[in-house]
C-alpha cells in the first residue's frame, strides 16, 4: 500500500511573521485610555462583589465598563479622563481591610508578577522648600522612594504650600 504524499504548501519553507503597527491598534489604545487596573492585595473576591464595590465607590465619576482579567484583576473604564484622574487622586483604597490597588492602565502594561507586586502610594513632603517644586525636582526626590507617577492638583498648581504630595509606585516583597 502506497503512502499518500503530503501536499506541500508554499508557506512550508517560511516562518510566518506578523508585524503590528501602532496604527493597527490605535483605536483600542484610545478605547482603554481612561481605564484603571485594580486588584485586592491578598484576596480574590467574586467579580460581582467587587463590581458592586467599584460602582458604589466610583460611580459618581462616570464608570463606563467594568471587566475582569485573569488573576482577579479588574479593569474599570471611565467616560472621561477627569473621572479616571479623580479615582487616581483619591488616595489609598481598601476592600475588606485589605489594600485595593489601583493603577492607571497603559498600552505597554503587562500583567506579570513584577507589575502586580508594585503598589502606588501617596507621599507627602512637608516643609519642602519651594525651589524644589519643579516637575524635574519633584521627580528626582520621588525617585528616592520609587517610580514617580504624578503629583496632586494642589502641588501642581501650588495652591496648598504646606506640603508637596506625589504618587509613587513602590515595589513590594513577594
Amino acid at each position: 500500500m502506497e503512502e499518500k504524499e503530503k501536499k506541500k504548501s508554499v508557506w512550508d519553507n517560511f516562518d510566518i511573521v506578523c508585524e503590528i503597527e501602532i496604527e493597527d491598534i490605535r483605536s483600542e489604545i484610545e478605547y482603554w485610555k481612561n481605564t484603571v487596573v485594580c486588584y485586592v492585595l491578598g484576596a480574590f473576591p467574586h467579580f460581582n462583589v467587587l463590581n458592586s464595590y467599584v460602582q458604589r465607590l466610583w460611580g459618581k465619576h462616570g464608570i463606563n465598563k467594568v471587566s475582569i482579567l485573569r488573576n482577579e484583576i479588574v479593569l474599570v473604564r471611565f467616560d472621561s479622563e477627569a473621572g479616571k484622574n479623580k479615582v487616581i487622586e483619591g488616595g489609598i483604597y481598601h476592600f475588606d481591610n485589605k489594600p485595593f490597588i489601583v493603577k492607571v492602565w497603559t498600552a505597554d502594561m503587562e500583567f506579570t508578577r513584577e507589575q502586580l507586586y508594585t503598589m502606588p502610594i501617596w507621599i507627602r513632603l512637608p516643609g519642602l522648600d519651594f525651589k524644589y517644586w519643579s516637575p524635574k525636582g519633584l521627580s528626582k526626590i520621588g525617585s528616592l522612594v520609587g517610580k514617580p507617577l504624578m503629583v496632586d492638583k494642589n502641588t501642581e498648581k501650588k495652591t496648598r504650600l504646606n506640603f508637596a504630595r506625589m504618587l509613587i509606585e513602590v515595589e513590594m516583597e513577594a
Side-chain angles (χ1 to χ4, degrees):
M1 206 173 188
E2 263 181 50
E3 283 186 68
K4 288 186 177 178
E5 252 186 68
K6 184 180 172 187
K7 274 191 168 181
K8 285 202 165 211
S9 164
V10 294
W11 299 107
D12 286 347
N13 296 326
F14 297 97
D15 290 332
I16 298 175
V17 176
C18 173
E19 187 173 329
I20 297 178
E21 307 278 333
I22 191 71
E23 272 310 308
D24 301 331
I25 60 172
R26 189 174 307 282
S27 63
E28 288 302 306
I29 292 171
E30 183 67 23
Y31 179 83
W32 293 105
K33 74 178 184 180
N34 295 325
T35 300
V36 296
V37 178
C38 316
Y39 60 95
V40 179
L41 191 62
F44 300 99
H46 191 274
F47 174 72
N48 291 338
V49 173
L50 205 50
N51 184 25
S52 295
Y53 171 75
V54 164
Q55 294 291 344
R56 280 192 313 275
L57 191 65
W58 300 330
K60 63 186 173 214
H61 300 305
I63 293 175
N64 178 279
K65 176 183 276 313
V66 179
S67 306
I68 191 161
L69 290 173
R70 62 186 178 270
N71 299 334
E72 306 300 318
I73 298 169
V74 174
L75 298 177
V76 181
R77 181 174 178 255
F78 293 90
D79 294 326
S80 68
E81 185 177 6
K84 175 192 75 173
N85 289 343
K86 285 280 188 194
V87 166
I88 293 299
E89 291 172 6
I92 298 173
Y93 299 97
H94 290 88
F95 177 89
D96 196 25
N97 292 324
K98 292 176 179 61
F100 185 56
I101 309 303
V102 180
K103 300 177 181 188
V104 172
W105 176 85
T106 61
D108 59 347
M109 181 177 271
E110 293 180 26
F111 300 100
T112 63
R113 186 173 179 87
E114 294 78 37
Q115 281 200 334
L116 292 178
Y117 283 99
T118 62
M119 182 174 194
I121 60 168
W122 285 99
I123 63 169
R124 288 184 181 187
L125 304 169
L128 183 65
D129 197 338
F130 302 144
K131 66 185 171 204
Y132 301 115
W133 282 46
S134 70
K136 205 171 207 176
L138 288 171
S139 179
K140 285 184 175 185
I141 292 168
S143 69
L144 296 171
V145 177
K147 179 183 173 187
L149 300 176
M150 65 185 287
V151 297
D152 72 350
K153 286 187 181 181
N154 291 324
T155 301
E156 182 181 5
K157 294 180 179 181
K158 298 173 179 59
T159 54
R160 184 177 294 156
L161 300 174
N162 53 335
F163 61 85
R165 186 169 174 248
M166 303 173 59
L167 184 62
I168 309 288
E169 190 170 65
V170 295
E171 290 187 28
M172 299 179 301
E173 295 293 319

